[in-house]
Amino acid sequence: MQDIYNGFLTISDELTIFPGFSFEQFKHTRFYKNQDEVRIIYLDEQQIIDNRKYIVSLFFKNEKIYMVSLICCDKEFSEKDAVKRKELHDDILKELGINQKKEYSWGKISSDYDARSNVSSIDIIYSNFTHRF
């Protein structure tokens, strides 16, 4: 995270997500490929954030960023060991000094495992997504 206290996440030199980031702003990046803001947007290639490789997904609600989902790809896990990726994500957040129980003025960050889809991710949720800069 570039600025955890203000909710800024730099995904690449061209894409920084922040509270109030709009779908219209996303459309002006190289990652825009005629996606629809109603569906989950998966960025084409893995992104390097804090020296780790991630699959990045963006979720918009009312044309504003609602959530960014990160799946660390530094280690391979079999489908039956997918829950171990959550442990990796927990460790990453701990290394970055991010307390999953803390809520910020802009939202929160957590490591989550969804047993139904067997997917673990670091989720950055923007609860105040109408804030403007």
Side-chain angles (χ1 to χ4, degrees), residues 40-58:
I40 300 169
I41 297 172
Y42 300 95
L43 301 188
D44 284 342
E45 63 271 350
Q46 294 178 1
Q47 301 299 311
I48 307 279
I49 303 170
D50 293 327
N51 298 314
R52 294 184 180 273
K53 292 183 285 188
Y54 291 94
I55 294 171
V56 178
S57 305
L58 307 176

Side-chain angles (χ1 to χ4, degrees), residues 14-61:
E14 191 180 334
L15 181 60
T16 297
I17 304 293
F18 53 87
F21 182 79
S22 70
F23 184 71
E24 190 62 35
Q25 289 169 303
F26 174 73
K27 287 167 79 173
H28 296 287
T29 70
R30 69 178 175 87
F31 299 102
Y32 178 67
K33 309 266 193 284
N34 292 317
Q35 298 101 323
D36 180 337
E37 77 271 10
V38 177
R39 296 192 171 101
I40 300 169
I41 297 172
Y42 300 95
L43 301 188
D44 284 342
E45 63 271 350
Q46 294 178 1
Q47 301 299 311
I48 307 279
I49 303 170
D50 293 327
N51 298 314
R52 294 184 180 273
K53 292 183 285 188
Y54 291 94
I55 294 171
V56 178
S57 305
L58 307 176
F59 299 73
F60 288 89
K61 184 176 184 179

Side-chain angles (χ1 to χ4, degrees), residues 72 85-93 111 120-122:
C72 184
R85 190 179 308 273
K86 182 181 183 328
E87 295 169 9
L88 172 64
H89 291 156
D90 291 344
D91 291 343
I92 291 168
L93 293 181
S111 167
S120 175
S121 59
I122 295 173

Side-chain angles (χ1 to χ4, degrees), residues 62-77:
N62 298 325
E63 297 193 10
K64 299 288 183 191
I65 194 69
Y66 166 70
M67 184 169 78
V68 178
S69 178
L70 306 174
I71 299 174
C72 184
C73 301
D74 285 351
K75 294 182 181 177
E76 291 294 322
F77 295 96

Side-chain angles (χ1 to χ4, degrees), residues 1-10 17 19 49-50 54 66-70 86 89-90 92-94 96-112 121-127:
M1 298 258 344
Q2 180 184 20
D3 181 355
I4 186 173
Y5 298 103
N6 292 307
F8 282 69
L9 171 66
T10 299
I17 304 293
I49 303 170
D50 293 327
Y54 291 94
Y66 166 70
M67 184 169 78
V68 178
S69 178
L70 306 174
K86 182 181 183 328
H89 291 156
D90 291 344
I92 291 168
L93 293 181
K94 191 174 182 181
L96 294 172
I98 296 172
N99 179 349
Q100 296 185 57
K101 293 181 171 66
K102 181 173 171 87
E103 293 217 13
Y104 300 91
S105 61
W106 54 266
K108 64 181 181 175
I109 302 172
S110 61
S111 167
D112 298 304
S121 59
I122 295 173
D123 296 327
I124 298 125
I125 299 172
Y126 293 92
S127 57

